[in-house]
């Protein structure tokens, strides 16, 4: 696996973000979770609109303008050797919300279909745990569909401890907690 870094979305990545979006639409049309961790990338009319929404969501004062009451940071997982967006991951500042506290959790993530199976999700989550620490979050709730073995392996590889399986609208979800170490 090539080295990646998590960076905030910016206009210099607009074309690659839009290519990422199209690849997800083409390859994951049957998946309800096709844009996990990408907020509204699926319904955005442009990468520019999506980047602006990501900026609004970063602050308690402006996140309502982006349709949420919970601030979050969005990160592009960018491969260092070719500057390609290989994934997107978010980090919610808290989960004091009925959906987030039950099954949404602190973060979601998506890896570009052509880059899956290479360990990028595991590294994205590892780097995002560092971001959580910087925000003062001591424990992360991460969930995944019981059928999503790849995501479960990613969570477990990052220290996830299984709590329970819940059912949400007919879908069974596993809840895991990750301690954010000093």
């Amino acid at each position: 696996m090539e080295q990646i870094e998590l960076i905030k979305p910016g206009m210099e990545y607009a074309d690659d973000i839009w290519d990422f979006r199209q690849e997800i639409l083409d390859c994951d049309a049957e998946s309800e979770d096709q844009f996990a961790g990408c907020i509204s990338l699926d319904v955005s009319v442009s990468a520019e609109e999506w980047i602006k929404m990501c900026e609004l969501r970063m602050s308690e004062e402006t996140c309502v303008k982006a349709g949420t009451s919970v601030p979050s940071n969005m990160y592009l997982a960018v491969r260092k050797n070719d500057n390609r967006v290989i994934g997107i991951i978010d980090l919610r500042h808290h989960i004091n919300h009925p959906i987030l506290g039950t099954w949404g959790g602190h973060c979601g993530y998506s890896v570009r279909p052509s880059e899956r199976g290479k360990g990028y999700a595991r590294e994205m989550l590892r780097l995002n745990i560092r971001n959580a620490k910087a925000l003062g979050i001591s424990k992360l709730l991460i969930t995944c569909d019981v059928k999503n073995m790849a995501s479960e392996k990613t969570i477990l590889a990052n220290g996830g401890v299984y709590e329970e399986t819940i059912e949400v609208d007919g879908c069974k979800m596993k809840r895991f907690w990750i301690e954010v170490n000093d």
Side-chain angles (χ1 to χ4, degrees):
M1 177 188 68
E2 301 287 335
Q3 277 195 317
I4 61 169
E5 61 184 335
L6 298 184
I7 61 171
K8 292 180 181 166
M11 289 306 297
E12 66 273 25
Y13 290 100
D15 290 342
D16 205 14
I17 290 166
W18 214 241
D19 290 344
F20 175 95
R21 177 186 183 272
Q22 191 59 51
E23 190 172 330
I24 296 274
L25 288 170
D26 291 344
C27 297
D28 292 341
E30 304 300 315
S31 172
E32 290 182 17
D33 290 333
Q34 68 189 94
F35 284 98
C38 299
I39 56 168
S40 301
L41 184 58
D42 55 335
V43 296
S44 295
V45 297
S46 67
E48 294 81 2
E49 177 188 72
W50 184 76
I51 292 166
K52 179 65 176 165
M53 187 176 303
C54 292
E55 291 170 1
L56 290 171
R57 292 177 75 107
M58 290 174 55
S59 137
E60 191 85 44
E61 293 77 35
T62 59
C63 66
V64 175
K65 293 177 187 175
T68 185
S69 60
V70 178
S72 63
N73 290 4
M74 185 66 59
Y75 300 98
L76 303 175
V78 176
R79 189 167 44 210
K80 289 185 176 184
N81 73 343
D82 62 2
N83 208 34
R84 184 176 195 217
V85 174
I86 55 91
I88 297 176
I89 190 167
D90 68 344
L91 178 61
R92 297 172 194 110
H93 297 189
H94 64 78
I95 55 171
N96 300 331
H97 182 279
I99 293 172
L100 299 179
T102 304
W103 61 270
H106 281 94
C107 70
Y109 43 86
S110 292
V111 174
R112 186 185 285 256
S114 61
E115 300 292 349
R116 291 182 183 153
K118 300 177 182 178
Y120 288 122
R122 182 180 68 241
E123 181 65 4
M124 288 165 55
L125 183 54
R126 186 185 75 78
L127 293 171
N128 213 25
I129 292 168
R130 288 184 183 172
N131 292 335
K133 180 180 177 182
L135 282 176
I137 299 169
S138 60
K139 199 173 181 183
L140 290 176
L141 173 63
I142 313 252
T143 65
C144 67
D145 187 294
V146 295
K147 298 174 190 167
N148 191 341
M149 294 306 299
S151 189
E152 182 173 343
K153 287 179 183 179
T154 294
I155 296 165
L156 291 171
N158 278 284
V161 176
Y162 172 77
E163 178 188 60
E164 67 178 331
T165 299
I166 61 171
E167 190 168 322
V168 179
D169 297 329
C171 179
K172 291 188 177 185
M173 305 285 291
K174 289 186 175 183
R175 290 171 46 103
F176 298 87
W177 289 95
I178 297 176
E179 294 285 338
V180 178
N181 298 321
D182 292 326

